[in-house]
Amino acid sequence: MPHDPYRALYLHLPFCVRRCGYCDFATSAVPADAPEIDAYVEDLCLQIRRKAKEGELGALETVYLGGGTPSHIGLARLSMLLYTLSLSMHLTPEVECTMEANPESLTERMVRDAWALGVNRLSIGVQSFDDEVLAVLGRAHSADDARRAIEAAHTRFENVSVDLMCGIPGQGAESFEASVREAAALGAAHVSVYPLTIEAHTPFDAAVLAGDMEEPDDDVEAAHMEIAACVLAEAGYERYEVASYARPGFECRHNIAYWTGVPYLGLGRSAATMTQNAERRMRVQDGRVTDDMDARGMAAEDLMLGMRMTCGVPDELVEAAAVLLPDAPAVLAELEGEGLVAHADGRWRPTDRGWLCGNELYGRLFDLA
Ligand code: SF4
């Protein structure tokens, strides 16, 4: 279909040194020297060149190399990929280009080369600075590896993000708080905090079913999220999304694109693409249509996604949505009455309670369509 230009590009690198016990991402444990990775990266480069030729990469504002573990594919393949990218689009410093990395495979050399080839943001999968917690998760790195990786990242990058997890069995509030404090003390510009979820068909799922592992407790996770909010606010970070904190100016523009209805192109195994025009929004993954919405569905989804962000949605967006979804203002007023959203300064914003009861909040808005 004729569509608006893609403004975000996601490249999926589905390889890891080993599988973590909780992971249900599209990734597999493959040795770093496996020919399978060469073939995959070569194919990804071909796809990038093809999309460039088709004129699909001309309006990109953000690029995200995610996984899997992009740093696991090694310097030579990463260089080929980034070089291909720089020949295929305007990879200027204004384009936010993020690469995910894990501490066990991020080297200082890789940091320097990735930076020289146009990456300007590194997102490091730390999860915790507590070795016992890392062992429970089945991570391939230690807390010291994470400290070294962040230090290496800072040899070139100002924009370094650290991912942390909470609600992990055996992780007390003190351990979690110490990790959050350490991420801030190490100078992360951005911190993401995700509660552990037990996904079907993972080793953690099997352990919970067998009674060998406690299921994460919602109240504990909520308490941990609260700790992160307090510690990071004190340290000068802004919570701009339910799970994301940034020092001013270091918000992740690529993730914001996902939450604000910006069309994105995904290349690589299981990468999702969102294509849209004024009347229709489609998501496609591995050649399969996963979403196909009309303008009503798009309007409802934009309201729902906007509520993930601290800034919520402006009145103009609600007014435009109300043309297609006449119940939207009444539902927002109802949600306000229940303390899930608040209205001020021309915007509807989620409250802390709204985020805690996220399923209720997002569900009610999505159901408008
Ligand atoms: S490193 Fe990340 S993508 Fe790889 S197995 Fe662990 S959680 Fe999954």
Side-chain angles (χ1 to χ4, degrees):
M1 69 182 190
H3 63 86
D4 298 343
Y6 296 116
R7 285 172 29 214
L9 172 67
Y10 176 79
L11 300 174
H12 191 60
L13 293 156
F15 308 106
C16 295
V17 63
R18 68 173 194 230
R19 298 271 310 184
C20 305
Y22 57 91
C23 182
D24 79 331
F25 299 143
T27 188
S28 44
V30 175
D33 58 2
E36 180 189 340
I37 307 183
D38 292 311
Y40 184 91
V41 173
E42 278 162 30
D43 185 60
L44 201 49
C45 290
L46 266 174
Q47 289 185 52
I48 293 169
R49 295 299 288 156
R50 203 172 296 142
K51 288 294 175 191
K53 214 169 152 201
E54 291 167 5
E56 301 279 26
L57 308 185
L60 294 176
E61 294 166 10
T62 65
V63 178
Y64 197 102
L65 278 72
T69 309
S71 51
H72 179 56
I73 71 169
L75 201 49
R77 299 182 188 108
L78 268 176
S79 299
M80 181 166 81
L81 191 57
L82 291 166
Y83 188 55
T84 304
L85 205 54
S86 66
L87 294 175
S88 310
M89 61 174 285
H90 305 294
L91 195 56
T92 59
E94 291 70 42
V95 173
E96 179 190 271
C97 181
T98 303
M99 183 179 112
E100 286 184 346
N102 276 353
E104 71 278 0
S105 47
L106 184 70
T107 61
E108 217 174 291
R109 180 70 207 274
M110 187 180 283
V111 166
R112 289 202 300 267
D113 284 16
W115 181 81
L117 284 162
V119 176
N120 50 26
R121 183 172 185 273
L122 279 182
S123 176
I124 306 181
V126 171
Q127 316 313 347
S128 171
F129 289 100
D130 181 331
D131 282 328
E132 282 176 29
V133 172
L134 291 171
V136 170
L137 291 175
R139 300 288 296 181
H141 63 88
S142 66
D144 274 342
D145 292 336
R147 293 179 186 110
R148 266 194 300 274
I150 295 169
E151 198 183 322
H154 279 135
T155 59
R156 285 290 182 280
F157 291 82
E158 198 188 358
N159 199 347
V160 175
S161 179
V162 166
D163 281 358
L164 296 176
M165 286 180 79
C166 66
I168 301 159
Q171 179 191 41
E174 274 172 32
S175 163
F176 175 67
E177 181 171 341
S179 287
V180 178
R181 287 194 186 282
E182 185 153 3
L186 290 170
H190 184 282
V191 181
S192 299
V193 183
Y194 298 103
L196 173 70
T197 48
I198 303 292
E199 305 292 349
H201 315 302
T202 58
F204 273 26
D205 184 37
V208 168
L209 289 175
D212 296 335
M213 182 182 270
E214 298 251 332
E215 206 158 344
D217 182 312
D218 288 349
D219 292 338
V220 169
E221 292 191 340
H224 285 188
M225 292 299 268
E226 187 60 32
I227 290 171
C230 292
V231 170
L232 292 171
E234 220 173 82
Y237 294 79
E238 189 88 30
R239 186 180 192 179
Y240 68 100
E241 189 258 350
V242 58
S244 312
Y245 300 81
R247 294 197 190 278
F250 290 99
E251 297 80 9
C252 177
R253 283 161 49 206
H254 186 82
N255 284 345
I256 291 174
Y258 290 149
W259 305 319
T260 51
V262 167
Y264 51 85
L265 174 67
L267 298 178
R269 195 182 301 159
S270 297
T273 292
M274 194 264 264
T275 309
Q276 70 181 14
N277 56 29
E279 283 96 42
R280 195 170 173 196
R281 173 178 291 170
M282 283 177 80
R283 288 193 182 80
V284 177
Q285 202 175 5
D286 292 329
R288 217 166 34 86
V289 176
T290 54
D291 278 318
D292 191 351
M293 294 176 193
D294 59 9
R296 283 168 53 83
M298 287 163 70
E301 189 177 66
D302 287 344
L303 292 179
M304 178 193 86
L305 290 173
M307 286 301 166
R308 289 187 60 138
M309 299 186 56
T310 307
C311 65
V313 292
D315 285 346
E316 303 84 73
L317 191 85
V318 177
E319 282 157 25
V323 175
L324 299 162
L325 310 167
D327 292 343
V331 167
L332 282 166
E334 260 172 49
L335 292 167
E336 187 178 31
E338 293 164 35
L340 301 181
V341 301
H343 187 256
D345 309 323
R347 300 189 79 93
W348 289 93
R349 295 181 173 85
T351 59
D352 284 348
R353 202 174 114 69
W355 274 342
L356 272 178
C357 310
N359 288 347
E360 175 71 16
L361 170 60
Y362 307 140
R364 297 260 288 279
L365 291 170
F366 197 58
D367 285 348
L368 279 167

